[in-house]
Amino acid sequence: MSYLLNALSMLIELVFEAAVTLLLLRVAAEACRADFHNPLSQFIYRYTNPVLAPIRRVLPNWRRINLAALLLAWLAMLLKRVLLFALLGVMPNPLGLIVLALAELLDFALLFYLVLIFGWSLLSMFSVDQRHPLLKLAGALVAPLLRPLRGRLVAGQIDFAPMVVMIVLLLARLLIAAPLLDLGVRLALGA
């Protein structure tokens, strides 16, 4: 692969994964009922609503899960993969593309929460203003994952619940997302 193709593929991945991050933030914020008046929540809603509003008329939420945002995130991963295969000059199998895009979305969501929990844990160790919009939003997003273990894994003054959840997320990436990614690649390439 030439240097130009490497640069183009990096830019494609960057653009599509930024869009998927914004959509996953929207899904997570709605699912955990994050404070709508938080400036970061306002930013997320303002920039995702024009794209999601027409789709939500056809595909409404299921419970508190924004299906329209999940569909768009999956389509973004699908389009990213199509463009990357086109750069290589490969015509993939459509079924493999579908599985690959779904596996990439799952892997990305697990990595998203892994980074979110790590960042939130790191910020909570320092004397940061607890009312900061970033800390409040991150705390609201990680709370549903940490709630079952909260206060049960405390040694001294340290709560090990975030570490256990991060280990579970890493195991899910290794045992669920990675085999799905391999299956998607094999199906897409017809191997």
Side-chain angles (χ1 to χ4, degrees):
M1 189 182 247
S2 74
Y3 296 115
L4 180 62
L5 287 180
N6 283 336
L8 282 173
S9 65
M10 188 223 35
L11 289 174
I12 289 170
E13 287 190 25
L14 183 69
V15 167
F16 282 97
E17 288 175 3
V20 170
T21 301
L22 198 59
L23 290 167
L24 285 179
L25 279 169
R26 172 77 183 249
V27 170
E30 283 185 23
C32 70
R33 294 187 179 164
D35 180 21
F36 181 74
H37 300 293
N38 184 327
L40 293 173
S41 296
Q42 290 286 321
F43 173 82
I44 293 164
Y45 283 96
R46 184 177 307 121
Y47 288 102
T48 57
N49 208 40
V51 178
L52 292 176
I55 299 170
R56 287 182 74 165
R57 289 187 202 119
V58 178
L59 188 62
N61 287 1
W62 177 70
R63 297 187 185 205
R64 287 188 290 183
I65 306 296
N66 190 334
L67 295 177
L70 281 177
L71 176 67
L72 276 181
W74 175 73
L75 287 173
M77 286 294 195
L78 185 68
L79 184 57
K80 176 189 88 164
R81 188 46 62 188
V82 166
L83 289 173
L84 290 175
F85 275 127
L87 279 177
L88 295 173
V90 175
M91 182 62 184
N93 182 344
L95 177 64
L97 272 177
I98 291 170
V99 172
L100 187 58
L102 185 63
E104 282 187 334
L105 181 60
L106 174 65
D107 186 54
F108 191 81
L110 291 169
L111 181 64
F112 168 80
Y113 264 105
L114 190 66
V115 170
L116 191 65
I117 291 171
F118 180 75
W120 175 81
S121 300
L122 198 61
L123 281 175
S124 67
M125 289 193 306
F126 298 109
S127 61
V128 180
D129 183 13
Q130 297 296 318
R131 297 170 304 185
H132 192 278
L134 178 63
L135 196 57
K136 284 178 71 174
L137 181 62
L141 295 180
V142 302
L145 292 176
L146 298 177
R147 192 173 297 125
L149 299 175
R150 185 58 71 171
R152 294 186 180 161
L153 300 171
V154 177
Q157 298 264 335
I158 300 173
D159 188 4
F160 288 97
M163 185 187 316
V164 170
V165 171
M166 288 171 51
I167 290 170
V168 169
L169 289 171
L170 282 169
L171 287 172
R173 285 189 76 204
L174 291 172
L175 299 174
I176 299 169
L180 277 175
L181 282 167
D182 289 343
L183 175 67
V185 168
R186 279 197 314 270
L187 288 173
L189 297 177

